[in-house]
Amino acid sequence: MADLTPRQSWMATLAKVTPLQLEHVVSTLTHLPYYNFLRPPEIGLTMVQGRTGGTGQPFYLGEMTITRCVVKLETPDLEEAIVGFGYVAGRSHRHAELAALCDALLQHSDWHDVIQTQVILPLQAIAQQQQEQQQRQAESTRVNFFTLVRGS
């Protein structure tokens, strides 16, 4: 994920994994701090844009369902509240909640390294393996076309 800030990178990772994968890695964490919903998980629509040829003129592809959530960590030891956001494709309330919680924890100095090593890095490794598998499957179906020149 080139040219992304660290937060953009971890938020992309949290949003792109499956809810079960995120639930599994978060379930290994112990003594998570309490949090409150500033905005409980809610489902909505967003307009998706595409680009012609991937880099050309933008066009509207259509709408997609997303779920968003905003949480605030209950940390009396900190002067400022830490707020985490979760935006995920689809209709999974739990996925958005866990993504928001992880985002908030990654902003907390005591939790950043723990979440980075026990949640983000394993999820990025899983995503990388899945991408490599998809590339291998696509490559196995590749057809090389060539033309024969018949006499001059």
Side-chain angles (χ1 to χ4, degrees), residues 132-147:
E132 289 170 359
Q133 181 181 3
Q134 287 175 342
Q135 287 174 344
R136 283 193 304 273
Q137 288 174 340
E139 187 63 31
S140 70
T141 62
R142 183 176 176 184
V143 178
N144 291 322
F145 292 96
F146 59 92
T147 56

Side-chain angles (χ1 to χ4, degrees), residues 10-86:
W10 78 56
M11 289 187 82
T13 299
L14 293 167
K16 291 177 183 177
V17 298
T18 67
L20 290 176
Q21 291 169 332
L22 184 56
E23 184 81 49
H24 176 71
V25 294
V26 171
S27 69
T28 64
L29 302 172
T30 57
H31 307 295
L32 289 172
Y34 292 104
Y35 59 93
N36 289 322
F37 290 113
L38 292 180
R39 181 173 295 235
E42 56 189 1
I43 297 169
L45 292 173
T46 188
M47 183 61 75
V48 179
Q49 266 191 341
R51 289 194 174 271
T52 307
T55 58
Q57 291 289 352
F59 64 94
Y60 289 108
L61 190 61
E63 293 178 332
M64 73 178 277
T65 306
I66 63 167
T67 305
R68 69 179 177 181
C69 180
V70 182
V71 300
K72 180 177 93 172
L73 290 182
E74 293 297 317
T75 52
D77 57 321
L78 295 176
E79 293 175 14
E80 283 189 33
I82 296 178
V83 177
F85 296 85

Side-chain angles (χ1 to χ4, degrees), residues 64-119:
M64 73 178 277
T65 306
I66 63 167
T67 305
R68 69 179 177 181
C69 180
V70 182
V71 300
K72 180 177 93 172
L73 290 182
E74 293 297 317
T75 52
D77 57 321
L78 295 176
E79 293 175 14
E80 283 189 33
I82 296 178
V83 177
F85 296 85
Y87 285 85
V88 298
R91 304 174 64 86
S92 175
H93 286 206
R94 184 68 175 155
H95 189 182
E97 178 183 345
L98 291 176
L101 174 60
C102 288
D103 178 48
L105 292 172
L106 281 158
Q107 296 174 67
H108 191 292
S109 59
D110 295 343
W111 281 94
H112 182 273
D113 292 339
V114 172
I115 302 300
Q116 190 69 32
T117 57
Q118 293 184 21
V119 175

